[in-house]
Each structure stands twice: as C-alpha cells, then as structure tokens.
Amino acid sequence: MARIETPRRVRGTQDIFGDEQRRFARVVEAFEHVRRLYCFSQVQVPVFESTGVFARSMGETSDVVSKEMYTFPDRGDELLTLRPEFTAGICRAYITEGWQQYAPLKLTTHGPVFRYERPQKGRYRQFHQIDAEIIGAAEPQADVELLTMADQLLKELGIAEGVTLQLNTLGDAETREAWRAALVAHFEAHRGELSEDSLTRLEKNPMRILDSKDPRDRPIADSAPDIDAYLTDEARAFFDAVTSGLDAAGVAWTRNARLVRGLDYYRHTAFEFVTDRLGAQGTVLAGGRYDGLIGNLGGPETPGVGWAAGIERLGMLLAEPKEERSIIVTSEDEGQEANIWRVVYALRRAGMAAEAIADGSPRKRFNRAKKRCDGNVLMIFADRNGDASRFALLPKWLPEIHLGSVSVRTADVVSALSTQFDVTENNPLELRIRR
C-alpha cells in the first residue's frame, strides 16, 4: 500500500500557537483597548477585491503591484486580488457603501494580508496587520490624533523604548510638483551613475530613488534637494501644526527629510516608527496622509490619513507573555466527578477561567492538574458521607506538604474567589471568606 504523503504548510505561511499566539493575542487586545480610548469604530472589509482597487491605489509600477500581489481570475473571469493592505479596501467601501454621510470616520480593523515576498524572520506571505484610518478630516489634528494613538499603543504594549517616530512632510500638490521637477533634474544629471532599478524609477516614480538601498544610488540620493525649499506657505503651516500638536501631546519625534511616499495622492504627513531591535527591517508601524486616494479610486475628493502595523512584528518586540491564570478543579476522592463539574460551572458563571480534571485515576488527578496550567488547583474533599464539604485552593507553586483546607459551601468558594482571598503566613492555604 502506497504511503500517504502528508500535506506541508505552504511556504511563507505560519501556524500560530502557544507563545506566538499569546503574543498575537496581546497585540490585538492592546489595539482594541486603545481603539476604544480614542473612540474609533471597527470595520471589516473583504479579504479580496477587484484587482483594480489595489493597482490604482498602490501604483501599477510599485513592487507590490508588479511582483507581490496574489492575483487570480475567478470562475466569472473577473480578476481578483487578495488584499496586500487595508487602506484601499476601506476607501473603496467608503465610496461604494455611501459612508460619506458619516464623515469624518474614525475606523480600525485587523486581519490577514497577503504579499508574495521572500520569507524571512518577521516577514511572511500571509501575515496580519492592525490598521487605523481617519477619513474626511483635512485638519492636521487628525494626523496628531493618529500618531498619538500609535504612540500610546506602543507604550501599552511596553515596547516604546528604543522605538523612534520619524516624521516628514510631502507638502501639498503644488509642493510635490515643484519638488518632483527638482529631483528629476538632479537625478538626470547623474543618470550614468544610477543603478538599473533607479533608472526605471526615474522614468516612472523618481521619488522612490530616495529610498534606494543600492550603494551606487546612496550618494546621489543623499545629495538630492530637500523638500523644504519647495514648501508652500500652506504646506509649511500644516506640518508646523502637526509637530506642535505632537509636542503638546508629549509624543517625541525626529525629522527624516528622506522619508517619502512615491504616489501622487500622498500629501503632507508621512511617518514611520522604527527600531534597531528587528535588524534591517526596522519599521514597526508606518503611515501617512493620502488626500488624493479616494478621488483616484473614482470617488469625491476626500482627505484621509492612516497607519498600519504588522501584528507578528509587534509581537516579536514583546516581553515573553505569561500564560493566562486559571483554576483547575479536581478531587482525589472517589465519586466526586459531579461535584467537580458543579464547581467548574459555578466558577465560569462567576467570570473566572476554570477547567475540570474529573477522569482517570483519582489518585493521579492532582499531579495532572499541576502540569496543566500556570494557575491554582481547587481540590474537593469528601466527608464521611461522600458529600463535597471541604475545599482547598492550592497555589500551584507551593509543595504538597503544605496542603490545607476549610469547610465552606461551593457558593462561598465562588464568592471568595471572585472577590478576594487571603494567603496568610500562618496557614498559607487557608481560604478566608470575607462577609
């Protein structure tokens, strides 16, 4: 009989479990907490869209569109793409679902995104992002609020130390046009020294040469003219309002005049939170203002600003998460199985995590309970008639020789555990019920 070959995990994907799942859950939990503090609404958009949604939003010549998107025809021959990011889908929904009536909108979402990249540490072909957007607000205060929210999220996760907010302005449309012309003139003067990729970018998207990692391009990019010389008064005032707002909010930032976004619909603020703790791929959260995107998708001209962060990359920066504490209920006395489950259900109804060990050899249950989780073991002891009359809350980390118990009703145990209980020096396992 031929051996059945087990299917393997697809390259660039991951099965998230154990410590990685706890890190993942911690990021999402903190994101949801901060979302509520800033009064953002949740939204869910499809995992796939018509390919044009992403091609028009991310640029036909971008690496994501030309090399990294998962694109396929469906059975109706419509060309679809698995989302490589969230913003385009949210902006599509803003247009098609009539969300203009609710503007300005403060929205968040999170979930899987897909890019055909070379897998490496912290970078997958299916990965997960958290995303925050403000649509319909042209004021610089919207940029400040999103940046402050991102800063608070990093502090909530305990990973803000060593992370730097890098900030730049891309100006308004008039600024970008003048700066782009100056960049083209500068790069044309050095055409013979540019890399092949940068020569292609010079024709299609010259601002992206500033991002080049090719050693041949760096001296030319570093000597390119800064945007500041081309800022209009309005663009300069907008950037000043953003930086002064961050100062007032106590958010530290640094200027990075080489931080750019290549597509024309990007305006004003561009930013990245970066760290040296993740090697060469040091960006942990990034975003900017995209005032021209919704118009580029066929909707009314609408301002927008947003950011996204990889859940896995944020999780890599977290301290080792602790397992959730729970109570395991068991008994080494025969015939107590029903009582074990009665207590477990009572604990759960009281809002406490609880698990039962009621099968197998009664004499081995306590040792099984100690190995199960990083929590407490609630033992049930039978009286002479076989009834459950005594309980003992046994901290897992204490030796068995210190076991103790008190006589209380199940309801009293639940009440005590759901409010407070004392661990005294004289009897470290005595359960005291405070009435």
Side-chain angles (χ1 to χ4, degrees):
M1 181 177 177
R3 180 177 177 272
I4 298 175
E5 185 176 351
T6 302
R8 296 185 178 184
R9 175 169 52 84
V10 176
R11 185 168 185 254
T13 62
Q14 52 184 329
D15 299 307
I16 304 173
F17 177 73
D19 178 74
E20 291 180 346
Q21 173 57 36
R22 287 188 287 274
R23 292 173 183 271
F24 189 103
R26 174 65 187 125
V27 172
V28 173
E29 176 189 40
F31 179 58
E32 285 299 304
H33 174 66
V34 174
R35 171 192 70 80
R36 290 189 292 269
L37 295 179
Y38 282 73
C39 302
F40 276 64
S41 300
Q42 287 182 308
V43 65
Q44 296 295 332
V45 291
V47 171
F48 56 86
E49 299 269 1
S50 295
T51 298
V53 172
F54 302 115
R56 290 160 66 184
S57 66
M58 305 184 78
E60 297 280 0
T61 61
S62 69
D63 285 346
V64 173
V65 172
S66 62
K67 301 177 183 178
E68 298 174 2
M69 292 203 313
Y70 280 89
T71 298
F72 55 94
D74 67 3
R75 293 184 178 181
D77 287 330
E78 181 179 2
L79 208 57
L80 304 177
T81 295
L82 298 178
R83 65 185 178 210
E85 51 93 36
F86 280 104
T87 303
I90 292 174
C91 288
R92 188 274 310 154
Y94 180 86
I95 300 168
T96 61
E97 305 307 308
W99 292 354
Q100 298 95 319
Q101 61 184 308
Y102 305 113
L105 275 174
K106 297 164 60 175
L107 303 173
T108 64
T109 191
H110 64 84
V113 289
F114 306 84
R115 295 188 185 184
Y116 190 84
E117 297 183 291
R118 183 172 64 85
Q120 54 185 293
K121 182 179 180 181
R123 190 176 291 277
Y124 303 93
R125 292 176 176 175
Q126 177 183 320
F127 55 104
H128 301 79
Q129 284 186 341
I130 52 177
D131 182 275
E133 314 281 349
I134 299 180
I135 301 177
E139 304 80 16
Q141 181 56 39
D143 306 49
V144 174
E145 181 165 17
L146 272 173
L147 285 163
T148 306
M149 178 186 185
D151 182 74
Q152 185 161 346
L153 171 64
L154 298 179
K155 290 175 179 175
E156 179 83 10
L157 290 169
I159 60 176
E161 185 176 352
V163 177
T164 302
L165 167 58
Q166 296 185 356
L167 195 66
N168 196 22
T169 177
L170 304 178
D172 50 20
E174 182 180 345
T175 299
R176 283 180 65 90
E177 185 176 349
W179 187 39
R180 186 181 189 280
L183 289 175
V184 169
H186 172 77
F187 293 133
E188 283 286 2
H190 297 275
R191 172 181 282 272
E193 305 164 57
L194 292 172
S195 66
E196 292 77 10
D197 285 343
S198 287
L199 286 174
T200 301
R201 291 167 178 167
L202 180 57
E203 301 300 325
K204 299 179 178 179
N205 199 343
M207 288 185 183
R208 292 195 58 220
I209 298 176
L210 296 173
D211 285 333
S212 175
K213 302 297 190 295
D214 194 305
R216 292 172 290 177
D217 297 327
R218 285 318 317 159
I220 306 168
D222 292 340
S223 62
D226 287 339
I227 193 173
D228 289 19
Y230 305 92
L231 288 174
T232 64
D233 292 341
E234 293 78 9
R236 192 178 302 277
F238 191 101
F239 189 57
D240 288 343
V242 171
T243 56
S244 62
L246 292 174
D247 292 340
V251 177
W253 60 277
T254 184
R255 179 75 186 277
N256 179 357
R258 287 294 182 263
L259 179 59
V260 297
R261 301 285 184 264
L263 299 176
D264 288 341
Y265 60 72
Y266 284 107
R267 304 281 193 275
H268 296 297
T269 316
F271 56 87
E272 293 182 354
F273 287 80
V274 299
T275 180
D276 59 3
R277 294 166 56 191
L278 293 175
Q281 304 292 333
T283 301
V284 295
L285 185 151
R289 178 166 282 276
Y290 48 85
D291 287 355
L293 175 55
I294 291 178
N296 196 47
L297 290 173
E301 292 298 329
T302 306
V305 60
W307 56 254
I311 295 177
E312 290 87 348
R313 293 176 67 75
L314 291 172
M316 290 167 62
L317 295 172
L318 292 176
E320 185 174 352
K322 296 180 180 179
E323 292 187 28
E324 294 185 5
R325 301 297 297 272
S326 61
I327 297 172
I328 294 182
V329 182
T330 191
S331 177
E332 293 185 334
D333 294 323
E334 297 279 0
Q336 293 299 317
E337 289 76 11
N339 285 324
I340 291 172
W341 284 108
R342 182 165 57 91
V343 173
V344 166
Y345 293 141
L347 290 170
R348 290 171 176 172
R349 284 192 292 268
M352 286 171 285
E355 230 184 325
I357 293 183
D359 59 343
S361 169
R363 295 184 178 276
K364 297 180 180 179
R365 289 174 185 169
F366 182 69
N367 286 334
R368 288 171 56 199
K370 287 197 301 180
K371 296 176 181 178
R372 181 70 63 87
C373 74
D374 184 23
N376 295 313
V377 179
L378 184 62
M379 293 288 290
I380 300 175
F381 297 92
D383 62 14
R384 293 178 181 177
N385 298 320
D387 296 327
S389 62
R390 296 186 300 130
F391 300 84
L393 184 69
L394 311 177
K396 179 182 174 183
W397 54 88
L398 291 180
E400 288 184 67
I401 58 173
H402 295 301
L403 301 184
S405 63
V406 294
S407 298
V408 291
R409 295 178 296 114
T410 302
D412 291 332
V413 174
V414 172
S415 175
L417 292 173
S418 62
T419 54
Q420 55 185 322
F421 58 88
D422 286 341
V423 178
T424 65
E425 292 184 3
N426 295 331
N427 187 357
L429 298 170
E430 179 180 359
L431 184 65
R432 290 185 177 181
I433 301 169
R434 295 187 173 182
R435 303 188 182 280

